[in-house]
Amino acid sequence: MTDDHTGGVQSWTGTMSARERIRSVALTLSEPRSTNWISEQAETAWSTTNQELEDLVDRGQLRRVDADESMLYLPDYTRLLFDELRRLIEGHTREELQDELTTIAKKIEAWQETYNVETWEELEQSLADGSLSSTEIRERRDVVQDWQLIEEDRRFIKHALELYSDVEAARERMLDATDCATS
């Protein structure tokens, strides 16, 4: 089965339930897909897939898209963004997030020095260098993918840090309101 988000191959090892497999496929879609397609990818019954997709729509994690005579599904990317920011803020201290930014910066600096480039785009362009061996090309391609991923992580962490104080203040207001209500 193909993982639509990454283009890689996904293997179900039996550790995930049918509903977990459906969620895994549906919440990583990069384009609208039908119940049938999601069912095939998740290796689940159509009825189970349909019910889980409807539950995900009801919870606001998926959106329905009308396409001619069929119904397609797509993740609610805004919700996924805010869920990820919440996970980062609630799961890490401000200092941990800052430390992770430092780690990311060190990795990028090492790649810049190793490959004598400034961006992953420049490294990607170097793949066309006719003097590179297949091993060097594969290595650079892997670095490009890793670089893209940590750039995305860095973007999320920066957003989380920008919102950290606001979330802490909102949490304090909620705790104060709860204390008032229970006193």
Side-chain angles (χ1 to χ4, degrees):
M1 64 244 58
T2 302
D3 179 345
D4 192 50
H5 183 66
T6 63
V9 173
Q10 203 165 87
S11 170
W12 307 119
T13 60
T15 59
M16 296 174 78
S17 72
R19 291 186 180 275
E20 288 170 330
R21 293 193 312 267
I22 294 162
R23 284 190 298 273
S24 178
V25 171
L27 295 176
T28 59
L29 293 173
S30 58
E31 61 185 75
R33 295 293 187 167
S34 69
T35 303
N36 288 339
W37 190 92
I38 295 168
S39 178
E40 288 173 17
Q41 298 304 304
E43 297 180 355
T44 55
W46 185 91
S47 58
T48 304
T49 303
N50 188 56
Q51 181 59 51
E52 185 62 22
L53 294 175
E54 290 304 314
D55 289 347
L56 290 168
V57 168
D58 291 344
R59 288 194 302 255
Q61 293 178 284
L62 279 186
R63 295 194 182 259
R64 280 189 213 97
V65 178
D66 282 323
D68 297 324
E69 297 179 20
S70 65
M71 184 66 60
L72 304 178
Y73 295 89
L74 188 65
D76 182 336
Y77 295 116
T78 303
R79 168 104 184 235
L80 293 174
L81 168 69
F82 284 107
D83 287 350
E84 178 63 12
L85 292 174
R86 182 178 195 157
R87 185 191 67 74
L88 285 170
I89 292 168
E90 290 180 351
H92 302 281
T93 65
R94 179 177 274 134
E95 291 75 23
E96 288 171 336
L97 294 174
Q98 292 167 343
D99 288 346
E100 185 59 22
L101 284 178
T102 302
T103 301
I104 288 170
K106 286 179 182 178
K107 284 182 184 177
I108 291 173
E109 289 166 1
W111 290 328
Q112 289 170 327
E113 186 175 317
T114 299
Y115 299 104
N116 195 28
V117 295
E118 289 298 314
T119 65
W120 65 262
E121 291 93 343
E122 287 179 37
L123 182 58
E124 185 176 55
Q125 290 173 355
S126 77
L127 295 175
D129 182 345
S131 67
L132 296 175
S133 70
S134 62
T135 302
E136 291 170 317
I137 292 171
R138 194 173 17 263
E139 177 186 298
R140 287 178 184 225
R141 192 181 65 220
D142 291 345
V143 170
V144 166
Q145 290 173 345
D146 291 345
W147 197 333
Q148 289 171 324
L149 289 173
I150 70 168
E151 285 282 355
E152 185 174 324
D153 290 346
R154 179 165 59 177
R155 198 174 77 246
F156 280 123
I157 293 168
K158 283 182 174 183
H159 287 314
L161 284 169
E162 290 168 359
L163 295 171
Y164 210 95
S165 295
D166 294 335
V167 171
E168 282 181 327
R171 226 183 265 140
E172 286 297 318
R173 284 193 304 274
M174 184 177 72
L175 291 173
D176 290 346
T178 302
D179 287 345
C180 287
T182 57
S183 297

